[in-house]
Amino acid sequence: MKSKLKGYKEIPIGGLILDAGNAKTYKTGGWRSKRPILDKSNCINCYFCWFYCPDNSVDVKDKDVKGFKLDYCKGCGICAVVCPKKCIKMEDEDKFEE
Amino acid sequence: MGKRLALTGDMAAAESMRQINPDVVAAYPITPQTEIMMTFSQFVADGLVDTELVRVDSEHSAMSACVGSAAAGARTMTATAANGLALMHEVVYIAASTRLPIVMPVVNRALSAPINIHCDHSDTMAERDSGWIQIFSQDPQEVYDHILLALKLSEHPDVLLPTMVNQDGFITSHGVEPVEILDDSVVKTWIGDYKPKHTLLDFENPITVGPLDLYDYYFEHKRQQVDAIDNAFKIYPQVAKELSKLTKREYPMIEQYNIEKADHVIVTMASAAGTTRYVVDQLTEKGEKVGLLKIRLFRPFPADQIVNILKGKKSVAVLDRSASFGSFPPLAEEIRNALYDEKTKPPVYSFVFGLGGRDLLPSHVEHVFKGLAKGSFNTKTIEYLGVR
């Protein structure tokens, strides 16, 4: 996540935004301090996490919970709390920093 | 080639503003700045400038209007003093951070309370970390010259920062002195047109100014500001050299007077440099080895140049026209900080003078030089000149 952000020499000065509608490309996942980690061996695809996620960040493909869209997940941890199998763990984000 | 006029510091500021002919000026009157805008608004009323003069309800609104105007791509100026500058404070930071090259004459006056209309530097020193370039003027001539210099420096694409051009309230702002004015056409040609790269009124290329900027990019934008004000070190001498060619006067970041042979040096800014120079002349005539270092550019602070001049001296006295309650005053801190890495360095003594317009008398300056020679001051304490 962090490495995708640009350095101070690569961005317009003064906070100017030069491209209209760029909120679309703004990755709010950068706000996260904890990251959900899924233990798939215990997951029963109940979709509780998918229902409760306030940011549509649970990745479900072909009726199977695959993981999380980290570009948008803000690390609120609701998924981990509601999981009936306790197979989602919230881990400190700094572990994943390069 | 030009002419010589009898002008106060305020009128000299208005005269340079007339020649710059800014697109927009938004200002609110405050003593002792009022005469700048009073004189300039007469120029507007007489049709001598094309400026859109915005009469606002406060200095907070004045700087806000300037930020909007400069972001829209207009060459923008204002002027203020003391509590007016303090009321602007929030937007002063925004102007620098948004990288808008606004030029603002500041007529230095003591901040309240108790209320006082006379000179000290507490107003501008409260803005020293705002990201503005700060230039100090000794007399009306320097006020006129520095405003032209500031405009060119601020608008340079490698800088793009606002500049405060300081002068001492009443001492300079209301004192009449001869001022040499360039021809209008010479100024017009030299400053050229202001052509910002991105503006709010460029409808073909719409932009957002002043968006939310959280911990993922705010730091990067601050880092850019560091480079921008450092670039002023590089650009300032170029601009000063260009202006010198027109005026035949010099504008070094720091000005040395009788320094080479001096053992004991006073460092100070603005009109106090004039008083100090007078005393340096008198004492030199009596065979004493004393000198003056006048700081013209305070932000960015030209520490390297200062170190080279001061490191071999026997002692240094720094005269500040503002206090920093609970610590040493701003200029003394800068000078000490600059000298810290030197193996051999002079003791630096700190003096506060002139708060609320108290005169700095030649006898005060003489007292400092004599004490330096005798070694009778203490580096751990601050001396207060002229206080009862």
Side-chain angles (χ1 to χ4, degrees):
Chain A
M1 189 73 215
K2 292 283 188 293
S3 59
K4 285 188 213 158
L5 297 175
K6 290 177 178 167
Y8 75 94
K9 289 180 180 169
E10 303 165 303
I11 54 174
I13 61 166
L16 291 183
I17 294 174
L18 305 181
D19 310 311
N22 81 332
K24 225 186 256 181
T25 61
Y26 187 72
K27 305 285 193 263
T28 44
W31 304 1
R32 190 176 55 244
S33 62
K34 290 203 175 219
R35 175 181 295 202
I37 302 294
L38 175 63
D39 174 8
K40 196 57 199 168
S41 63
N42 248 340
C43 173
I44 54 172
N45 282 333
C46 68
Y47 310 137
F48 267 38
C49 54
W50 181 81
F51 272 116
Y52 278 96
C53 175
D55 228 329
N56 264 341
S57 295
V58 178
D59 196 12
V60 177
K61 270 187 200 120
D62 304 327
K63 299 185 180 176
D64 189 34
V65 177
K66 299 285 187 193
F68 306 94
K69 299 169 190 167
L70 293 176
D71 280 350
Y72 300 100
C73 167
K74 297 184 183 67
C76 70
I78 290 175
C79 54
V81 172
V82 299
C83 177
K85 302 299 283 182
K86 299 292 164 217
C87 65
I88 300 172
K89 254 194 203 141
M90 299 302 293
E91 298 207 13
D92 283 344
E93 189 63 30
D94 56 8
K95 278 193 203 164
F96 305 99
E97 267 188 46
E98 284 160 32
Chain B
M1 144 89 201
K3 54 186 167 182
R4 207 170 147 90
L5 303 174
L7 297 177
T8 64
D10 276 354
M11 288 158 73
E15 195 64 22
S16 56
M17 286 174 75
R18 179 185 66 72
Q19 294 187 318
I20 288 167
N21 193 6
D23 300 312
V24 174
V25 168
Y28 191 82
I30 183 167
T31 303
Q33 172 277 118
T34 304
E35 283 73 6
I36 297 180
M37 289 317 304
M38 187 186 79
T39 311
F40 186 75
S41 53
Q42 189 68 51
F43 294 152
V44 175
D46 292 347
L48 298 178
V49 288
D50 310 307
T51 305
E52 180 74 32
L53 182 65
V54 189
R55 279 158 291 184
V56 287
D57 59 343
S58 76
E59 285 85 355
H60 190 278
S61 304
M63 187 48 73
S64 298
C66 286
V67 164
S69 148
R75 184 174 263 159
T76 304
M77 296 182 75
T78 182
T80 194
N83 298 39
L85 182 57
L87 185 57
M88 277 181 186
H89 178 73
E90 176 192 9
V91 199
V92 164
Y93 272 68
I94 294 170
S97 307
T98 313
R99 307 291 300 278
L100 302 171
I102 299 161
V103 173
M104 172 166 68
V106 175
V107 186
N108 299 131
R109 163 186 152 184
L111 285 175
S112 302
I115 196 162
N116 177 297
I117 59 167
H118 289 282
C119 176
D120 70 36
H121 295 166
S122 53
D123 54 0
T124 196
M125 284 306 169
E127 307 302 330
R128 70 188 194 271
D129 296 335
S130 66
W132 283 57
I133 295 164
Q134 289 175 306
I135 302 175
F136 282 80
S137 319
Q138 184 185 320
D139 52 35
Q141 181 70 64
E142 287 193 356
V143 171
Y144 170 81
D145 293 349
H146 289 168
I147 291 172
L148 300 180
L149 195 163
L151 188 91
K152 195 91 172 175
L153 178 61
S154 276
E155 289 181 358
H156 193 284
D158 293 345
V159 179
L160 286 176
L161 288 172
T163 303
M164 285 177 207
V165 178
N166 294 284
Q167 60 171 305
D168 282 351
F170 287 106
I171 301 164
T172 307
S173 70
H174 288 59
V176 177
E177 288 191 29
V179 178
E180 282 180 23
I181 302 290
L182 294 167
D183 281 335
D184 290 0
S185 59
V186 171
V187 174
K188 193 177 174 191
T189 309
W190 185 58
I191 62 171
D193 290 331
Y194 174 47
K195 289 180 190 145
K197 207 169 156 196
H198 306 290
T199 79
L200 277 176
L201 293 183
D202 180 357
F203 300 126
E204 300 302 313
N205 302 289
I207 56 163
T208 304
V209 175
L212 182 71
D213 194 16
L214 301 178
Y215 41 66
D216 45 3
Y217 278 111
Y218 181 90
F219 204 168
E220 276 67 33
H221 288 122
K222 293 296 120 181
R223 183 63 187 79
Q224 291 177 332
Q225 272 180 261
V226 174
D227 273 8
I229 202 156
D230 279 352
N231 285 347
F233 280 131
K234 196 174 70 210
I235 306 304
Y236 181 99
Q238 299 171 13
V239 174
K241 200 174 165 190
E242 284 175 28
L243 185 60
S244 290
K245 270 191 194 155
L246 303 175
T247 63
K248 315 291 176 218
R249 289 179 290 276
E250 306 280 325
Y251 313 98
M253 298 177 198
I254 52 170
E255 209 168 289
Q256 306 176 52
Y257 189 70
N258 215 34
I259 285 276
E260 246 172 59
K261 290 176 188 163
D263 290 333
H264 308 289
V265 175
I266 283 181
V267 183
T268 194
M269 304 196 289
S271 68
T275 311
T276 306
R277 196 150 87 158
Y278 168 77
V279 176
V280 165
D281 283 345
Q282 286 194 327
L283 295 180
T284 304
E285 226 167 78
K286 291 179 191 164
E288 293 182 38
K289 291 183 173 176
V290 294
L292 159 72
L293 186 64
K294 175 173 99 175
I295 310 296
R296 174 177 269 113
L297 187 66
F298 183 74
R299 279 292 180 274
F301 193 73
D304 290 347
Q305 291 191 17
I306 291 168
V307 167
N308 282 331
I309 292 159
L310 294 183
K311 64 182 177 190
K313 299 302 172 190
K314 281 189 182 161
S315 68
V316 172
V318 184
L319 273 52
D320 271 272
R321 202 166 198 137
S322 61
S324 175
F325 302 100
S327 187
F328 281 85
L331 187 55
E333 277 193 343
E334 293 290 353
I335 299 292
R336 280 218 178 121
N337 185 35
L339 285 165
Y340 182 80
D341 286 333
E342 295 308 307
K343 277 196 184 106
T344 54
K345 51 188 167 254
V348 175
Y349 302 101
S350 173
F351 298 81
V352 169
F353 73 97
L355 300 190
R358 180 69 51 88
D359 274 332
L360 177 73
L361 301 172
S363 60
H364 295 142
V365 179
E366 215 175 311
H367 163 76
V368 173
F369 275 132
K370 290 206 164 141
L372 289 180
K374 277 191 221 155
S376 57
F377 299 122
N378 183 344
T379 53
K380 303 286 181 207
T381 55
I382 302 164
E383 294 269 331
Y384 297 87
L385 298 171
V387 77
R388 293 181 298 278

